[in-house]
Amino acid sequence: MTITLALSKGRIFDETLPLLAAAGITVLEDPEKSRKLILPTNHEDVRVVLVRATDVPTYVQYGGADLGVTGLDTLLEHNADWGGASGAALYQPLDLRIAQCRMSVAVPDGFDYAGAVRQGSRLRVATKYVAIAREFFANKGVHVDLIKLYGSMELAPLTGLADAIVDLVSTGNTLKANRLVEVEQIMDISSRLVVNQAALKLKQARIRKIIDAFASATAARGQA
């Protein structure tokens, strides 16, 4: 039986490669050079499918992939979209501690965010992460109008579309370049291994071997 791993291009793909190597798996083609969406590995019964980052949990939930690697941000939004129902289909055995960043609130330099919150102002917040932002501001008792965007969040405050943004921040350089400042950190983000429950039962030995290899490599990196 073939094992299918769902990954997205970019940082998560690159940082998953050493974990795959720990499991004895090598991806044979470079996703940046190949037009293929299904990549072979050095094992005939293991393949990698390339999907959008937001689609990884869906592929794993519905059996399009046996396992995948996705950010905590994506998982939380996925669970919210499906009313939490995906929890029964997705086993989340590991925080891989890769692709680490943070989810933060940012505003234009000079905007009195603390004052606006203190005065009970209704803020317009642009974000891709509507569920995370809604829960965060609701817990703080802050009134917000959420504007869902898919492109560059930094543009929203610069054009007057929004007062603030909720987005992933790594170095903060993009915020600085666009004269934005972080005012609150919502949560730390890292990538998680997710596994289809049915696949785990049907292909237990093979999948468990991959999980154990990923766990050992993650632990070893943390001790380095």
Side-chain angles (χ1 to χ4, degrees), residues 57-58 60-62 74-93 193-198 200-201:
T58 302
V60 176
Q61 179 180 346
Y62 288 104
T74 300
L75 277 175
L76 292 175
E77 289 294 314
H78 176 81
N79 288 346
D81 287 344
W82 291 94
S86 66
L90 287 178
Y91 173 47
Q92 303 174 34
L193 180 67
V194 292
V195 183
N196 179 276
Q197 294 275 26
L200 184 59
K201 293 177 181 178

Side-chain angles (χ1 to χ4, degrees), residues 1 35 59 64 84-85 101 133 144 154 163 180 184 192 202 212:
M1 290 186 288
R35 290 182 176 272
Y59 270 81
C101 54
V144 295
E154 296 82 7
D163 303 306
L180 301 176
E184 286 197 278
R192 312 300 169 99
L202 292 172
D212 291 345

